[in-house]
Amino acid sequence: MAVAVALPGRRSRAVLVGGALSLLLCLVGVLHLGIGASGVGLGDIADLLAGHGESHTKDVLLGARLPRTLTGLVVGVALGVSGVLVQGATRNPLAAPDTLGVNAGAYLAVVLVAFTGVSLGPVPAGGAAFLGGLLAIAVVHLLSRGGVSAPGRVLLAGATVALACTAGAEFLQMLDVQATRGLFFWGNGTLMQSGLDRPLALGVFVAVVAVPAWLLARPLDLLALGDETAQAMGVRVERIRPAAFLVAVLLAAAAVSLAGPIGFIGLIAPVIVRQLGLRTHALLIPAAALTAAAVLLAADAAAQLAVPPSAVYTSEIPVGVVTALIGGPFFMVLARRVSTGDADTGAAVVVSDRRRAPVYAVAIGGGLVALVVAMALSLRVGDVEVSWGQLGAALFGSAEQITEAVVSYRLPRILVAAVAGACLAVAGTAVQAVVRNPLAEPGLVGVTGGASLGAMLIIIAVPSAPLVALPIAAGVGGVLMLALVVAIAGGRRHGVRGGLDPTRVVLVGLGAGATAMALVNIMVVSSQMNISAALSWLAGSTYARGFDALGWLVVPALVAAVLVAVARPVNLLALGDELPRALGLELGRARLLVLAAGALMASGTAAAVGAVGFVGLVAPHLARRVVGNDTRRVVPMAAVLGAVLVVVSDALGRWLLAPTEIPVGIVTALVGAPYLVWLLRRTKEL
């Protein structure tokens, strides 16, 4: 999708818009200074400026308010200019430092440095963030060799890198239990500062780095006409595009090192400015900087007003959660316009030829043996190690009391992990069959986010509701979210109803998932829930699950069995639109039912073990490579592989840092994210 080059704008419009944005930023900045938990208002600050204020007001203003507002200005300007440069270099209005993985790469680098115990100042920390962001965008470039001509693939590559980096950062921070609270706020972006030193130092850095952006304005205008046209007009595309990325990464890294990864600001601001009629980059760059700073400060003010900190509960909504709540729907609307060309061809779900029956029997048998071995090993490892002899004695009822207690505690959660993994794998198989995209894991298309939202609504709004209400609410949330994603991705464009573009479904799903998780985070903070417990649930955990949790998985397991029984129409869905209709299949109804089945399985499982991601991506793909594409064989094979994956991940989570447990969702993400990178790389070569 190209960013159109504007006709020469009227000077009066530029002056009017620039003046209005400047005035808006001043108003928002002043209001932002007057908001906080200390009770100091704008009147008190005015008295101080008039020379007769209290010393308490001065302490609050210089120690908290001014650093916070200045941080919002610096971060907003940095992300706004960075967004303009990235969108100009890619000619893609959906591209931004966060959607291309730059913010997440910088975030991972900062966390990695902190994990090593090295204390860095603001500028060296920004250097580490720059290296992380630079590495992230380099990986995105390698994964999307089609470059700007394939906007959907660029965004998928960016989302993949962002998921991998975020999973790595969360894993590192999970290693320190005391850092769990900091994970929530820093990982979601916050403007809180303890002094003026850091925002002032990085503010100077941003001002210096932003200067070269002006020099790129004219070449980026010409680049919007296409590479060949730009080269014909004297632009050295091979230099201008990397230079734009370099400056953009520097600015984004400065923002991340100061306030954490704040998403969607670099996406929203340039789009808003274009809607105001400013198209040339010489005008876009300053206008987007003003807009981004105003939006970020307004979001932070809204976060403080929505859940004001109190003497009893000092937590507040991170500003990154509010920007995700705004930016998620924004991203969905923009993604709806993306044309990827995959609507008619699908995205190569078919990866293997049909396998003969003996091969299938051997594969299933080998998978079941692997599952039994994984479950046995999982019974042994943890904070208390159980020997093979003790394990055998416990299974036959002749072990010591403590050994029997340990095995009795671990056995239910291992069974829950196995069934949950199987259900998630089959859910991924169902969703991929409909959207014809091997990347369409339930978590990536918004199902897990919708399920989490539904479950959290029940927990907070109806705390006395019976336990059975939780999986029902999660199921309804997942189904509704998937229906919304499919409706938006498959809606009419230019008055014509197109096919179900598999890449667009994933992009819209990413926006829907971000919106849902922003709402979940807001509910967690506003209801004053235990953040550590909520994070463990959201990250996916089998901790303390008993046999009763297996009851919640009965419905997802039954739906998975039904999917095998209706294998023929599911197989036909992979053939596109025309052939299934010619064979008598009611395509719309079949797609709806299979999608509903996938959403029920994924959301019902999420209610039992939380948001465990990537199982629905890895297991179906591996299963197709082993047993071919027939749903009657793919579903059982994927179920076995999914069970093995989650059981092994759960065991690793208990063993690596025993007695501290790593949530199983973090471990599956560490496995699944690199697999997603490999899969994206491989599908490019098909």
Side-chain angles (χ1 to χ4, degrees):
M1 182 180 292
V3 179
V5 176
L7 296 174
R10 297 177 180 176
R11 184 180 296 274
S12 57
R13 175 187 288 272
V15 172
L16 180 63
V17 172
L21 291 175
S22 299
L23 180 61
L24 175 64
L25 178 57
C26 289
L27 289 175
V28 173
V30 171
L31 291 175
H32 188 265
L33 278 174
I35 298 174
S38 61
V40 174
L42 286 177
D44 299 316
I45 296 175
D47 290 340
L48 179 68
L49 295 177
H52 45 79
E54 299 178 358
S55 60
H56 171 68
T57 303
K58 181 179 180 181
D59 293 339
V60 171
L61 181 64
L62 296 181
R65 301 285 181 83
L66 200 54
R68 185 165 186 156
T69 302
L70 184 58
T71 299
L73 287 172
V74 172
V75 172
V77 169
L79 292 178
V81 177
S82 180
V84 171
L85 295 177
V86 171
Q87 292 181 8
T90 59
R91 299 199 296 270
N92 186 344
L94 281 172
D98 49 314
T99 59
L100 294 191
V102 175
N103 285 0
Y107 171 48
L108 174 59
V110 172
V111 172
L112 184 60
V113 171
F115 178 73
T116 61
V118 178
S119 179
L120 298 177
V123 175
F130 168 70
L131 292 177
L134 197 63
L135 181 61
I137 204 165
V139 174
V140 170
H141 176 72
L142 290 175
L143 291 176
S144 52
R145 195 174 294 170
V148 296
S149 62
R153 183 170 291 278
V154 170
L155 294 169
L156 286 178
T160 302
V161 172
L163 288 170
C165 293
T166 303
E170 289 180 350
F171 172 75
L172 289 176
Q173 292 198 322
M174 279 288 179
L175 299 183
D176 183 357
V177 177
Q178 298 302 321
T180 303
R181 179 173 291 271
L183 163 68
F184 181 75
F185 291 101
W186 167 253
N188 285 285
T190 176
L191 301 184
M192 286 190 290
Q193 298 289 328
S194 58
L196 284 167
D197 294 344
R198 287 176 60 84
L200 281 175
L202 287 170
V204 172
F205 177 80
V206 168
V208 171
V209 174
V211 172
W214 287 83
L215 304 177
L216 295 169
R218 179 61 179 165
L220 289 177
D221 286 341
L222 298 176
L223 198 61
L225 301 173
D227 287 6
E228 294 182 0
T229 303
Q231 286 174 336
M233 299 180 74
V235 176
R236 304 188 70 171
V237 176
E238 72 281 2
R239 292 187 179 181
I240 292 300
R241 184 167 285 136
F245 281 133
L246 186 65
V247 176
V249 172
L250 277 170
L251 292 170
V256 171
S257 64
L258 186 56
I262 297 176
F264 295 106
I265 292 295
L267 169 75
I268 294 173
V271 175
I272 291 176
V273 173
R274 286 192 190 92
Q275 294 301 315
L276 294 175
L278 304 185
R279 303 299 180 92
T280 59
H281 284 81
L283 299 176
L284 263 175
I285 290 172
L290 295 173
T291 304
V295 171
L296 185 56
L297 287 176
D300 191 52
Q304 295 182 69
L305 293 173
V307 184
S310 65
V312 178
Y313 192 74
T314 57
S315 297
E316 62 181 44
I317 300 173
V319 66
V321 172
V322 180
T323 61
L325 185 63
I326 301 170
F330 207 91
F331 186 85
M332 292 167 68
V333 172
L334 292 176
R336 185 175 179 273
R337 304 173 184 173
V338 171
S339 177
T340 68
D342 292 339
D344 298 327
T345 61
V349 168
V350 179
V351 297
S352 179
D353 296 331
R354 180 184 176 87
R355 297 293 193 268
R356 292 176 298 178
V359 175
Y360 170 67
V362 170
I364 283 290
L368 290 174
V369 170
L371 178 59
V372 171
V373 172
M375 293 176 71
L377 289 172
S378 185
L379 281 171
R380 290 192 57 204
V381 301
D383 51 351
V384 177
E385 189 167 344
V386 177
S387 67
W388 286 112
Q390 290 174 316
L391 179 60
L395 295 177
F396 289 102
S398 58
E400 297 177 355
Q401 186 175 2
I402 186 172
T403 303
E404 289 187 353
V406 171
V407 174
S408 299
Y409 172 76
R410 291 176 182 169
L411 183 59
R413 68 179 290 173
I414 292 171
L415 291 174
V416 169
V419 179
C423 292
L424 288 173
V426 181
T429 305
V431 174
Q432 291 174 13
V434 175
V435 302
R436 293 184 292 155
N437 190 337
L439 305 178
E441 196 261 350
L444 294 181
V445 296
V447 174
T448 305
S452 301
L453 184 58
M456 200 59 68
L457 274 173
I458 284 294
I459 292 173
I460 293 174
V462 194
S464 60
L467 287 177
V468 70
L470 193 62
I472 293 175
V476 172
V479 171
L480 290 179
M481 186 59 76
L482 185 57
L484 177 65
V485 169
V486 172
I488 293 176
R492 292 177 178 273
R493 282 171 291 282
H494 308 298
V496 179
R497 187 173 186 81
L500 192 62
D501 188 316
T503 301
R504 188 184 299 119
V505 169
V506 175
L507 294 178
V508 174
L510 289 171
T515 306
M517 295 313 296
L519 288 171
V520 169
N521 286 330
I522 289 174
M523 286 190 287
V524 167
V525 175
S526 60
S527 64
Q528 303 184 4
M529 290 180 64
N530 184 309
I531 290 178
S532 298
L535 280 175
S536 295
W537 188 86
L538 293 173
S541 175
T542 56
Y543 178 75
R545 296 299 190 275
F547 286 112
D548 55 336
L550 287 172
W552 295 8
L553 297 170
V554 169
V555 172
L558 290 175
V559 174
V562 170
L563 198 66
V564 179
V566 295
R568 180 179 178 275
V570 179
N571 287 335
L572 291 177
L573 291 177
L575 303 178
D577 291 356
E578 295 183 1
L579 184 56
R581 286 197 179 100
L583 294 174
L585 180 68
E586 292 188 23
L587 200 56
R589 179 183 298 178
R591 281 175 171 168
L592 182 62
L593 290 175
V594 176
L595 275 179
L600 274 175
M601 286 184 281
S603 52
T605 306
V609 297
V612 179
F614 293 100
V615 181
L617 166 76
V618 175
H621 190 259
L622 284 178
R624 290 191 187 92
R625 292 180 63 82
V626 175
V627 300
N629 305 300
D630 190 337
T631 300
R632 290 169 298 182
R633 296 181 176 181
V634 170
V635 169
M637 193 71 234
V640 171
L641 293 175
V644 172
L645 176 59
V646 177
V647 169
V648 171
S649 298
D650 180 57
L652 286 174
R654 282 186 283 119
W655 174 70
L656 285 175
L657 299 174
T660 300
E661 290 197 11
I662 303 171
V664 66
I666 298 291
V667 182
T668 58
L670 290 174
V671 175
Y675 189 88
L676 183 57
V677 171
W678 173 82
L679 182 59
L680 193 60
R681 176 80 176 171
R682 183 180 180 279
T683 53
K684 180 186 67 177
E685 296 168 351
L686 291 175

